Structures are given as C-alpha cells and as structure tokens.
Amino acid sequence: MGASTSEAVSSRQASLGGVYAALLLQVMISAGTYLAGKRAMEELPPVTVVLWRFLLSATIFCLLLAFTPGPKLPPRSEWRRVLMLGLLAGPINQMLFFYGLSHSTAAHAALLYALTPLGVYLLSLARGHERASSRSTLGILTALAGVVVLLLGRGLASARGSLLGDLLILAAVSAWVVYTTEGKPFAAAYGPVRSTSWSMVAAALLLVPVTPFALAPTRTLSASSPALASIAYLAVLTSVVAYLIWYYALTKVSASRVAIFSNLQPAMTALAAWLVLGESLHWELAVGGGLVLAGVRLTQSAPPLAGPVPVEES
C-alpha cells in the first residue's frame, strides 16, 4: 500500500512537471509585459494600446476556435459567465492596469501584483474552492516577503508613483484575482483553448463601443517600430500565449498554486535587466529570489486543497 501511494505521488509530480515548466514560460512572458506596456504608452494613450491589444488577440483566438474541434460558441447558459470573465480580463483589468501604470512605476505595479496569490487564496477559501492549509499560507507569505525584499533592492522605496496610479493598479489586481478564481471551474469544464478564447473575444467585443474614439489607426500606424512591436508583444505573447498557459494550468492544479508563480516575475525582470540592460546584481536578488522560490516550493508541496472539477464532454 505504501509503495503504491509513493508511486502515485511520484507519478502526479512528474505529470505536473510540464505544467510548472509552462508556468515558468508564462512568468517570463509576463515579466516583459510591464516594459512593453510602458514603451507603447510613450507614444500612444493607454486606451489605444489596450484596444489594439485585444482586437489583435481576439482575431487570433477566433482563428484558434475555427481550427479547434468542438463547439465554436459557448452554451447559451454560459454567456453571462463568459461576458463576466471578458469584462474582468479586458475593460476592467487591463484598462485599470494601463492607466495605473501610466501614473505609477513598474516597480509599484510588480509589488501590487505580488498580492495576487494571497488574494486568489483568500477568495478561493471564501468560495469553498479550496481548503485552508498552513503550508500554503506560509508559502504565499514567504514569497510575498521575497518580492518586497527584491523590489526594495531595485529602488522601490525611491520610486515615486501617484496614489491614484497605485489605487488603479490595485483595482486591476482585484479584477485579476476574481478572473483567476472564477475562471478555474470554467476552464476545467470547457478546456483552456475554448475558455480562454471565449473570454478574450468577449473582452474585445466589450471594448467595441470605444473603438471610434480610441482606435486612432493613423496615429498608431505612424508610431515607431519599438512601440508597434510592444503592442504585438502584448497582443500575441501576453494575451494569447500567456493567457492560454494560465488557463491550462488552472485545469491541472488549484488556483492558488497557479497564482503563486506570478511572484517570480520581479526576479525574472531583474535577471532580464542584468542580461539585456547590463544592470548590476545585488544581494537583494539572491535573498528575495530565494524567499520567492522557497515560497513557491512550500505552496506546491502542500497537500491538495481541492478536488478536481469534472470536465464536461462536448
């Protein structure tokens, strides 16, 4: 009996290796989102950047749906949930995030987004999606402490961002917490491709009313190549690849275990700045990064917090 249990645990860990590798890729993509967003907004208003991002990504998702076996549209009973997830992902989360980022700093945004795992964990507990675990709680708080240490070393204390900008980013984080928590059962029921595609197309449709006022095609097409490349990065890598990975992971493990990986983003950004921009490395990276890794490890090694959500056959 003991051997079979050990083998089952080892088999589960091995099967989750691909999930964690995918989440690391998602972290690397997301780490560049702050930089791409800041660069695009040097030449274009936040609403224009967000609009182009979702219109382009929605086009890609429509193509994915066209070549994905199964239903192309969500069941009528799910339209309200699809619109809710689209509203959280697009008009609320991204509009608030980009407007907040335009008034704040990338360091402040990274710190506030580090609250995501704690928010997802608490909301999952409140909704009955997960059970309380002292190891998960300790892991989340340890990772959050690591992010604080890391960002203090990168000048968080001296980085000035307006209170309005930080409040807008905090509201965006809250929307992302709800999107992650409520998106898990939806992704488990319909699969990562369909669930992500439906919610992101819904996000683009909800942004259509502002298109005549914010699309600014002439101004956008006359922007510099780095600005256009930043929009392409946001549309293809962040909104398609990273979102698909996020929902894929949500079908495999609990929402809090997925969310904890977002705390690796500041460390990944610091390493990228060292490799690409030649910034120096400080002791805070080793200490903060170590705490984040320890927190992620603690959270992932906690006992399962929720049973699997049954997948609907389509």
Side-chain angles (χ1 to χ4, degrees), residues 68-89:
T68 300
K72 310 306 178 187
L73 295 175
R76 187 177 295 274
S77 60
E78 295 284 11
W79 284 9
R80 180 177 297 181
R81 180 155 61 164
V82 169
L83 288 173
M84 183 268 290
L85 291 172
L87 182 65
L88 289 170

Side-chain angles (χ1 to χ4, degrees), residues 70 122 296 301:
L122 293 176
V296 171
S301 64

Side-chain angles (χ1 to χ4, degrees), residues 249-300:
L250 285 174
T251 65
K252 301 297 182 181
V253 295
S254 66
S256 62
R257 292 190 180 189
V258 174
I260 192 67
F261 275 82
S262 62
N263 280 359
L264 289 171
Q265 290 180 21
M268 198 70 70
T269 301
L271 286 174
W274 171 58
L275 291 171
V276 178
L277 303 177
E279 292 187 8
S280 58
L281 295 178
H282 301 284
W283 64 268
E284 290 89 349
L285 178 60
V287 175
L291 285 171
V292 171
L293 289 173
V296 171
R297 176 59 181 163
L298 272 172
T299 304
Q300 302 307 320

